[in-house]
Amino acid sequence: KSASAKGASRPAKTAPDIDAVEVLQRLATRLLPRFERDELLEETLRTLAEIFAADHVALFLYDERSNDLVLRFSTGIGLPAGISPRIRVGKEGVCGWVAQYRTPIVIPDVAKDPRYVPILDGIRSEMAAPIVFDARLLGVIDVESTHPGFFKTEHLRLLAIVAGQMSLAMRGGELAELDEQRTNDFGMINQF
């Protein structure tokens, strides 16, 4: 073989190129028929894992009382036994940083980032986006791969758009729950 053929290496594996409009249409088609908030969130994660060809996708919801992110759903590589599904905002991990600064981030090599806390075996790259509604933190979407440099800037932009859409769905779900509670309360008052 020639010297140039010997020195050539395989290109690094990266997430697939993505057409943002196609992704948003695909999400809307899959999610519009769903009315239950938890079902909507879970299906969104599965769809993101498929679209990004990710090894792990997680949704953390923000607990205002404890200032923690609490794992609500995850897909792909499972969490090892004994791992806490809570992350302290601003004190732990990439998701804690994203929640504190409310800024999406892509990390090409987690081994080189001091914010990364190794929990899942083999994770090499990560991206995360905050879910914020009207300046109020609702949660964080976290997407991980076992390949370094897997996610690109355009993947992060799309994740941030999806996080914005999720904030609307989550806030709408909260309002629907409040309306249902008020209806139940009024029903009880009327019985008396």
Side-chain angles (χ1 to χ4, degrees), residues 2-44:
S2 70
S4 63
K6 283 182 182 176
S9 62
R10 288 186 313 170
K13 184 174 180 179
T14 60
D17 290 331
I18 297 173
D19 176 359
V21 173
E22 178 187 335
V23 169
L24 294 174
Q25 287 175 332
R26 198 163 152 190
L27 281 169
T29 301
R30 285 187 178 183
L31 303 179
L32 279 178
R34 304 187 187 286
F35 299 105
E36 181 67 35
R37 185 181 76 160
D38 286 351
E39 186 180 347
L40 172 78
L41 297 175
E42 205 168 356
E43 184 61 27
T44 300

Side-chain angles (χ1 to χ4, degrees), residues 26-71:
R26 198 163 152 190
L27 281 169
T29 301
R30 285 187 178 183
L31 303 179
L32 279 178
R34 304 187 187 286
F35 299 105
E36 181 67 35
R37 185 181 76 160
D38 286 351
E39 186 180 347
L40 172 78
L41 297 175
E42 205 168 356
E43 184 61 27
T44 300
L45 287 192
R46 281 193 290 273
T47 303
L48 288 175
E50 180 184 315
I51 288 167
F52 290 126
D55 294 302
H56 182 254
V57 179
L59 172 65
F60 294 90
L61 298 183
Y62 180 59
D63 181 342
E64 293 175 351
R65 290 183 298 267
S66 66
N67 197 37
D68 288 344
L69 293 171
V70 181
L71 180 65

